[in-house]
Amino acid sequence: MSAISDEEVLARFPRTAIDHDNKHYYKGLLERKLLVNRCRACGSWRQPPRPICSDCWSTDIEPVEVSGRAVIHLLIFLHQGPPAPGVDYSTPYPVAVVELEEQEGLRFSTTIVNADPQTLRIGLPVTLTWLERDGNPFPAFSPASPASPASPASV
Ligand SMILES: [Zn+2]
């Protein structure tokens, strides 16, 4: 499925506890794909990754790329915190839980970028974007453009 080996993903995320349940998620990050485990038996999505479907108890789970469309479900602003790569508390730093469009209740913890913090609110549509953090792609979200996302980049 992925060209990235287990050894490479372990080497690229030395401070992360990689296991057989979440390794596909981290391999996906290296390919700038947001992968969420989905049950092949009942179609239910699950984040964070677990080895067993919480709906039907099937172990037939596969990582599937999500669309990247979501809405802000929960939002807080951190004014202080431990030093972390790419985190600027002076702005302050938004921490968001977004609900992915694939399934009600399917939520993902992230940050919001390319936005005035004053304009952010619960329910705001957002789309996936990629940052570079600590040498690896990092999934963040930014407010969805009111224009059609299908239009190609202008020249
Ligand atoms: Zn299931």
Side-chain angles (χ1 to χ4, degrees):
M1 159 171 289
S2 172
I4 296 168
S5 68
D6 288 359
E7 291 73 19
E8 183 177 358
V9 76
L10 288 168
R12 293 284 297 272
F13 296 96
R15 287 178 290 283
T16 303
I18 307 283
D19 58 31
H20 285 296
D21 295 328
N22 68 20
K23 69 179 180 182
H24 299 293
Y25 168 79
Y26 288 99
K27 287 181 180 183
L29 295 189
L30 295 177
E31 297 178 316
R32 292 181 175 244
K33 292 177 181 175
L34 184 58
L35 301 180
V36 175
N37 279 4
R38 188 176 198 196
C39 174
R40 280 197 183 100
C42 76
S44 174
W45 300 80
R46 173 77 189 192
Q47 171 69 22
R50 294 283 184 275
I52 295 175
C53 175
S54 55
D55 287 337
C56 75
W57 292 17
S58 170
T59 56
D60 192 7
I61 306 291
E62 66 175 338
V64 178
E65 185 175 9
V66 295
S67 70
R69 288 185 292 271
V71 296
I72 296 177
H73 175 77
L74 180 152
L75 180 67
I76 58 174
F77 292 98
L78 295 182
H79 294 263
Q80 55 185 314
V87 175
D88 179 3
Y89 296 106
S90 70
T91 48
Y93 181 73
V95 174
V97 174
V98 300
E99 183 158 305
L100 303 173
E101 71 168 5
E102 276 74 14
Q103 179 178 291
E104 187 176 350
L106 181 66
R107 293 171 191 152
F108 182 78
S109 299
T110 182
T111 188
I112 308 293
V113 295
N114 305 325
D116 176 354
Q118 300 294 326
T119 66
L120 299 179
R121 57 180 171 72
I122 305 302
L124 185 74
V126 290
T127 55
L128 176 65
T129 187
W130 292 93
L131 308 179
E132 197 75 13
R133 184 173 288 182
D134 213 12
N136 290 322
F138 180 87
F141 282 76
S142 60
S145 166
S148 168
S151 59
S154 55
V155 289

